């Protein structure tokens, strides 16, 4: 079973939004677009998921079936090394022949050989290893639902302008699922105020799910 | 299910209905049956809209039974779009109803004279052909509303819209879903035009008084079907991904991979993909229609439930959940990122009877030509309306992407054998490019879809990480798919049978128990090969050569961003796909 990682940011945000919710999966609209989290540079994908996010075990093995590193499908999570500003996308198993083709080590992986991630070139791994920096992560489909709590509890960074645009499209029900929302430590009377409070800002906002 | 109904629309004194046994076609269903009849009875060099062509409508082998997820209907003919053999298929209620009536195929044949428009009713009393000019040029939804007044809504309707009546090369045959909406379509290859050329507007299939077909071995069937359903529910794709998000779950993944053809295959990523993703679409459907709106079956007895219902902002039905290929064709391919616009276009396509892939690609080519700008949502709607109304520009659009490119002087027509490519760029995913190039059907993503050759052991073991052997993989997929197309099982069972040997075995056991057979995996492979050999033979006689098994040359010349790759599988390798 997956386990929950602890919070640890390290990025720079123009504002920090903290909130409580029993349904963190309501943020899937944002998780699919891509957000930033801090990580320890030059780790493998397995180290990132298992050691830094504490996403280990059967869940990760069975459910994270499709992985892209900088738009390249990954077959070997122990060989693919993450670097600052990389983009990592995670998905469940996909339908369609091409969906099956994108799976890690899938039967049809050869069909996308020319775009697959090549793990060669990781010789510089030792050079910058250990430095904290940011990586962009995208969570698609079932993984956005399942892993929302893990990432939001850790704290994620997202462009504030885009966040305001997306908040403007949320139904009323979304805000009803949020509790104890604060911006830079100041509690909001209503979660709906969030968009107005953030709109004058620029850069990134950190979203952080508080524990129970 | 042992009767073939033939309707000669050119018989002296009016259409003549005859009935015969399966004869030499015994053992065939679905695609195997449509292709066998077309190959045996249609001259390959005939004009697709001429009297020599035939339209064959055939449910799969499991139609009318209690086998889960087995309601697929095949339609075959010589294609007006490709000039080769065609099998297009659809979900909906009709296949099961035909099966319950014991009908293996309906064949429309002969020369239609005059302007009579026929409505055909098939029920336990037999087959009745009536002239009904009041149905002329009715769009599919209005047609079903009108037919409901006299037939009720517990029948299934197989129909054409104005596109089929106008004999446009991009025209579908619609099939009603459980809600009696004409939302399911045998979309590809212009099959609607062939039905239109026979003067047939609608076939009403009334199952009243029929019962579900009984298996030869009921106990074995029950156990196998239960295991099959359990396997579908257990698998991540058929049990979770598809029911929750539908096929549009693929948008984010293909886009991330750089294999999402945006702007008429101009680049491999669309920067607003998240706005039209399956995740966004499912949330919108559930928000507007209530929880569960994003999960729905296209026919009763489906265990996957990959469809859904799309409502407008006021909560009114707009269309069924648009499929991934539709959202891509009218969305990213045209630079459009508004799901409401895509849904509107999907409805218009269904209503007039256009294939969404072909129409979306046609509009993309028109955008490249400058007819309208990329991203022009209102313009795209206007173009489909013109096509539906049969204006001169609309007739060009309704003739398909290759024709649009010829008319407007555009080289970049993403077609093979005249049929538009679906939502996967063959430069990024070369294996699917091999299938596009060599399929008997023209560019078709479903031609190599039954992703189970590992279980069927077609071609032996392969190394999935080796770059060599694209032709081998494509060949094996095409063989497996041709066989599955004959059963009536939905293509989406492919994933559960890819990963779970016991689910594959259960599926084969349901077939065996239903028909008293003892099929093995080898038999399934042999059936697939037989179908492909027939279809290749037809195409060869129609004038197709290996030069037709190629992608347009610009795919070998123009790199696709972001990976900057071209399609570089050699022609010699493509020529090996059908070497079996």
């Amino acid at each position: 079973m997956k386990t929950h990682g602890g919070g640890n940011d390290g990025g720079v945000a123009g504002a920090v939004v903290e909130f409580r919710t029993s349904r963190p999966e309501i943020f899937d609209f944002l998780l699919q677009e891509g957000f930033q989290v801090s990580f320890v540079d030059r780790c493998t994908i397995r180290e990132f998921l298992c050691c830094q996010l504490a996403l280990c075990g059967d869940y990760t093995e069975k459910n994270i079936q499709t992985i892209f590193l900088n738009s390249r499908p990954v077959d070997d999570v122990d060989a693919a090394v993450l670097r600052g500003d990389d983009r990592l996308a995670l998905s469940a198993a996909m339908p369609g022949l091409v969906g099956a083709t994108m799976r890690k080590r899938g039967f049809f992986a050869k069909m996308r050989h020319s775009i697959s991630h090549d793990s060669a070139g990781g010789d510089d791994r030792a050079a910058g290893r250990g430095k904290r920096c940011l990586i962009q992560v995208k969570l698609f489909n079932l993984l956005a639902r399942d892993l929302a709590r893990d990432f939001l509890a850790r704290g994620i960074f997202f462009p504030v302008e885009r966040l305001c645009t997306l908040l403007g499209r949320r139904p009323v029900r979304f805000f009803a699922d949020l509790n104890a929302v604060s911006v830079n430590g100041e509690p909001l009377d209503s979660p709906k105020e969030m968009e107005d409070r953030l709109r004058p800002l620029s850069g990134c906002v950190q979203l952080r799910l508080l524990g129970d | 299910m042992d009767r073939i109904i033939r309707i000669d629309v050119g018989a002296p004194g009016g259409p003549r209905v005859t009935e015969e046994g399966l004869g030499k076609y015994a053992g065939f269903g679905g695609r195997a049956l449509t292709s066998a009849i077309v190959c045996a009875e249609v001259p390959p060099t005939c004009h697709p809209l001429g009297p020599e062509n035939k339209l064959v409508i055939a449910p799969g082998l499991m139609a009318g039974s209690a086998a889960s997820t087995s309601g697929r209907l095949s339609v075959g003919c010589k294609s007006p779009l490709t000039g080769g053999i065609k099998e297009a298929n659809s979900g909906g209620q009709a296949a099961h109803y035909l099966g319950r009536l014991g009908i293996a195929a309906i064949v429309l044949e002969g020369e239609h004279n005059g302007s009579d428009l026929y409505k055909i009713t098939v029920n336990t009393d037999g087959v009745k052909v009536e002239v009904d000019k009041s149905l002329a040029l009715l769009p599919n939804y209005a047609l079903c509303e009108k037919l409901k007044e006299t037939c009720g809504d517990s029948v299934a309707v197989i129909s054409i819209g104005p596109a089929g009546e106008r004999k446009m090369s991009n025209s579908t045959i619609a099939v009603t879903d459980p809600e009696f909406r004409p939302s399911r379509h045998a979309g590809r290859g212009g099959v609607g035009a062939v039905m239109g050329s026979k003067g047939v507007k609608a076939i009403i299939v009334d199952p009243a008084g029929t019962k579900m077909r009984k298996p030869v071995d009921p106990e074995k069937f029950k156990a196998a079907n239960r295991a099959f359903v359990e396997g579908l529910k257990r698998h991540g794709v058929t049990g979770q991904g598809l029911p929750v998000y539908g096929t549009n779950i693929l948008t984010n993944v293909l886009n991330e991979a750089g294999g999402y053809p945006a702007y008429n295959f101009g680049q491999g990523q669309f920067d607003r993909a998240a706005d039209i993703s399956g995740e966004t679409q499912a949330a919108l459907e559930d928000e507007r229609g209530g929880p569960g709106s994003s999960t729905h079956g296209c026919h009763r007895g489906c265990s996957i439930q990959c469809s859904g219902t799309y409502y407008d902002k006021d909560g009114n039905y707009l269309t069924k959940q648009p499929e991934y290929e539709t959202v891509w064709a009218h969305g990213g391919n045209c630079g459009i990122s508004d799901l409401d616009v895509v849904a509107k276009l999907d409805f218009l396509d269904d209503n007039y009877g256009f294939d969404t892939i072909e129409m979306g690609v046609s509009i993309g080519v028109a955008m490249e030509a400058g007819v309208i700008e990329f991203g022009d949502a209102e313009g795209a709607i206007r173009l489909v309306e013109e096509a539906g109304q049969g204006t001169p520009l609309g007739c060009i659009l309704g003739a398909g992407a290759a024709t649009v490119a010829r008319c407007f002087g555009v080289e970049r027509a993403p077609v093979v054998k005249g049929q538009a490519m679906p939502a996967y760029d063959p430069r990024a995913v070369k294996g699917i490019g091999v299938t596009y190039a060599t399929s008997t059907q023209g560019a078709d993503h479903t031609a190599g879809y039954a992703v189970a050759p590992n279980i069927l052991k077609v071609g032996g073991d392969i190394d999935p990480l080796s770059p060599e052997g694209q032709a081998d993989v494509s060949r094996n997929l095409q063989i497996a798919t041709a066989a599955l197309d004959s059963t009536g099982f939905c293509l989406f069972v492919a994933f559960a049978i890819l990963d779970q040997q016991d689910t594959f075995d259960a599926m084969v056991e349901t077939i065996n128990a239903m028909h008293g057979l003892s099929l093995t995996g080898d038999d399934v492979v042999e059936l697939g090969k037989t179908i492909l050999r027939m279809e290749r033979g037809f195409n060869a006689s129609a004038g197709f050569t290996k030069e037709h098994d190629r992608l347009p040359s610009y795919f070998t010349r123009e790199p696709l961003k972001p990976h900057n790759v071209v399609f570089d599988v050699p022609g010699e390798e493509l020529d090996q796909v059908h070497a079996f």
Side-chain angles (χ1 to χ4, degrees):
Chain A
M1 290 295 292
K2 67 190 175 74
T3 55
H4 293 161
N8 183 359
D9 51 66
V12 177
V16 178
V17 175
E18 295 176 309
F19 55 92
R20 297 181 196 277
T21 180
S22 60
R23 299 185 63 236
E25 66 272 19
I26 61 174
F27 283 91
D28 60 355
F29 67 93
L30 176 157
L31 301 175
Q32 68 167 328
E33 290 213 358
F35 54 89
Q36 288 183 309
V37 291
S38 77
F39 83 117
V40 178
D41 199 15
R42 318 278 167 120
C43 63
T44 66
I45 291 176
R46 186 185 298 281
E47 288 167 347
F48 174 63
L49 294 173
C50 197
C51 304
Q52 300 186 36
L53 295 172
L55 295 170
C56 292
D58 281 354
Y59 177 87
T60 307
E61 283 298 317
K62 288 182 181 173
N63 293 279
I64 304 180
Q65 282 280 330
T66 312
I67 301 173
F68 298 97
L69 179 54
N70 299 324
S71 289
R72 294 190 175 277
V74 172
D75 291 297
D76 188 348
V77 294
D78 292 310
V81 174
L82 304 178
R83 295 173 172 80
D85 296 328
D86 275 351
R87 187 171 73 246
L88 179 70
L90 307 174
S91 165
M94 286 291 98
L97 173 58
V98 178
T101 299
M102 294 299 165
R103 287 195 216 169
K104 62 183 182 198
R105 291 190 170 277
F107 188 76
F108 306 104
K110 71 167 64 200
M111 293 178 75
R112 41 82 172 163
H113 181 266
S114 64
I115 63 167
S116 297
H117 182 263
D118 181 1
S119 299
D123 298 345
D124 63 337
R125 195 178 164 194
R129 189 168 167 78
K131 190 176 67 177
R132 284 206 86 78
C133 47
L134 294 173
I135 185 171
Q136 189 182 25
V137 176
K138 293 184 177 184
L139 297 177
F140 297 147
N141 47 72
L142 298 166
L143 297 189
R145 186 186 69 184
D146 292 350
L147 302 181
R149 180 176 297 282
D150 300 270
F151 280 92
L152 287 167
R154 181 181 180 86
I156 66 170
F157 298 89
F158 196 80
V160 68
E161 187 179 342
R162 181 64 179 161
L163 177 61
C164 289
T165 299
L166 295 174
L167 286 174
R169 298 177 187 171
R170 293 301 96 197
V172 174
R173 201 173 60 215
F174 170 82
F175 297 99
D177 282 325
L178 294 178
N179 300 305
V181 181
S182 69
V183 175
N184 291 332
E186 291 183 30
L188 303 185
D189 291 335
S190 162
K192 281 188 172 180
E193 292 176 16
M194 195 170 14
E195 184 184 344
D196 291 338
R197 293 289 292 273
L198 294 175
R199 194 164 288 286
L201 304 177
S202 59
C204 278
V205 59
Q206 185 181 32
L207 293 163
R208 188 185 292 153
L209 172 66
L210 298 175
D212 295 331
Chain B
M1 218 171 76
D2 54 4
R3 296 185 295 147
I4 294 177
I5 305 291
R6 291 181 184 270
I7 302 170
D8 178 358
V9 298
R16 182 180 66 233
V17 179
T18 56
E19 187 179 314
E20 63 190 32
L22 282 169
K24 64 181 178 181
Y25 302 121
F28 284 169
R31 176 177 169 183
L33 186 52
T34 64
S35 288
I37 292 176
V38 170
C39 287
E41 301 181 15
V42 174
T45 53
C46 76
H47 194 287
L49 303 179
E52 299 88 357
N53 201 5
K54 301 189 180 192
L55 187 80
V56 185
I57 300 170
L61 289 171
M62 304 304 287
S65 77
S68 174
T69 320
S70 64
R72 199 146 56 105
L73 183 71
S74 288
V75 178
C77 58
K78 176 170 177 172
S79 166
L81 190 71
T82 70
I85 197 163
K86 173 54 60 181
E87 186 265 352
N89 55 69
S90 169
Q93 288 294 110
H96 276 314
Y97 292 170
L98 286 170
R100 284 164 58 175
L101 284 161
I103 295 171
I106 295 174
V107 182
L108 304 181
E109 55 193 11
E111 181 170 16
H112 177 236
N113 295 308
S115 58
D116 285 347
L117 194 62
Y118 302 120
K119 176 178 77 176
I120 299 170
T121 305
V122 183
N123 56 28
T124 53
D125 294 331
V127 179
K128 185 166 71 175
V129 183
E130 301 167 276
V131 175
D132 191 342
K133 291 187 177 179
S134 73
L135 307 180
L137 293 177
L138 281 181
N140 282 310
Y141 275 83
L143 171 71
C144 286
E145 281 304 307
K146 186 174 175 66
L147 293 177
K148 190 161 74 173
E149 293 169 6
T150 51
C151 307
D153 59 4
S154 36
V155 300
V157 171
I158 302 168
S159 66
I160 57 172
E165 285 188 69
R166 293 194 172 97
K167 306 181 194 70
M168 291 177 166
S169 293
N170 173 12
S171 55
T172 66
I173 292 177
V175 181
T176 49
D177 62 18
E179 286 71 39
F180 200 62
R181 291 165 174 155
S183 66
R184 307 293 145 182
H185 290 250
R188 309 234 63 192
V191 291
V194 180
M195 188 159 156
S197 75
K198 303 300 180 192
V200 177
K201 176 70 174 176
I203 301 172
I204 298 155
V205 186
D206 184 354
T210 66
K211 291 182 177 171
M212 213 168 266
R213 288 169 63 209
K214 291 203 183 325
V216 172
D217 186 337
E219 289 308 311
K220 191 169 152 188
F221 177 87
K222 196 173 171 184
N225 193 38
R226 189 185 303 123
F228 181 55
V229 172
E230 187 277 326
L232 294 177
K233 299 278 187 198
R234 174 172 22 115
H235 192 271
V237 171
T238 49
Q240 293 184 69
L242 282 170
V244 175
Y245 300 108
T247 56
N248 195 20
I249 193 172
L250 283 166
T251 290
N252 272 330
V253 171
L254 262 295
N255 192 60
E256 190 62 26
Y260 183 90
Y263 302 100
N264 189 34
F265 287 74
Q267 56 194 59
Q269 288 181 323
F270 181 48
D271 61 359
R272 285 163 285 151
D275 288 344
I276 54 173
S277 71
E279 292 89 324
T280 302
Q281 181 174 273
L284 192 62
E285 288 170 0
D286 287 343
E287 175 194 325
R288 291 176 173 178
S293 296
S294 60
T295 300
H296 185 264
C298 77
H299 69 275
R300 294 191 191 96
C302 170
S303 298
I304 300 176
Q305 305 275 310
C306 72
S307 192
T309 310
Y310 196 98
Y311 298 92
D312 67 15
K313 287 172 180 166
D314 300 318
N316 301 309
Y317 173 86
L318 181 49
T319 188
K320 93 288 189 184
Q321 181 182 81
E323 303 276 356
Y324 164 64
E325 283 77 13
T326 303
V327 176
W328 159 77
H330 282 307
N333 183 57
C334 293
I336 292 171
S337 59
D338 185 332
L339 277 174
D340 285 340
V341 171
V342 171
K344 170 78 173 172
L345 290 164
D346 180 73
F347 172 79
L348 291 174
D349 286 338
D350 284 356
N351 205 26
Y352 292 130
F354 294 118
D355 172 31
T356 57
I357 295 174
E358 195 69 42
M359 183 53 77
V361 174
S362 297
I363 292 173
V365 172
M367 287 174 161
E368 174 133 351
V371 177
I372 58 173
E373 296 293 313
F374 280 109
D376 181 355
E378 288 183 11
I381 291 170
R382 191 174 64 249
L383 290 183
V384 179
E385 292 280 16
E386 285 214 34
Q389 289 155 15
T391 67
L393 174 59
C395 286
I396 292 172
L397 288 159
T403 298
V404 174
R406 275 194 293 270
C407 288
F408 289 100
V410 173
E411 183 203 357
R412 293 186 189 83
V415 302
V416 178
K417 299 183 179 78
Q419 181 167 288
M421 290 182 193
Y424 316 88
D425 198 296
R427 287 164 288 193
V429 190
K430 295 193 201 310
I432 204 155
V434 174
T435 304
Y436 286 170
T438 62
S439 161
T440 53
Q441 307 290 325
D444 183 352
H445 62 297
T446 67
Y449 202 98
V451 285
N454 54 330
I455 285 177
L456 289 169
K457 306 296 182 199
V458 194
D461 294 327
I462 65 162
D463 173 6
L465 301 185
S466 156
E468 287 81 28
Q470 305 279 352
D472 295 335
V473 178
S474 180
R475 176 193 309 122
N476 299 341
L477 283 164
Q478 291 190 53
I479 290 169
T481 303
L484 189 66
D485 282 343
S486 305
T487 64
F489 283 116
C490 174
L491 276 178
F492 294 157
V493 307
F495 310 101
I497 64 175
L498 165 73
D499 293 330
Q500 300 166 179
Q501 174 82 49
D502 60 330
T503 308
F504 174 79
D505 293 340
M507 184 189 77
V508 175
E509 275 303 286
T510 58
I511 299 171
N512 286 338
M514 185 73 207
H515 296 281
L517 302 172
S518 52
L519 289 176
T520 64
D522 289 345
D523 297 319
V524 175
V525 171
E526 202 47 51
L527 173 62
K529 286 181 178 177
T530 300
I531 295 166
L532 289 181
R533 284 191 192 106
M534 285 191 299
E535 293 175 348
R536 289 280 291 182
F538 183 94
N539 281 355
S541 298
F544 284 83
T545 69
K546 64 181 183 181
E547 300 309 318
H548 294 91
D549 288 343
R550 299 290 185 270
L551 299 187
S553 60
Y554 74 93
F555 283 93
T556 66
R557 190 179 68 234
E558 297 185 355
L560 178 75
K561 294 177 181 176
H563 298 300
N564 294 317
V565 284
V566 297
F567 185 76
D568 55 5
V569 178
E572 295 75 25
E573 191 171 345
L574 297 176
D575 294 338
Q576 291 305 305
V577 170
H578 289 282
F580 57 84

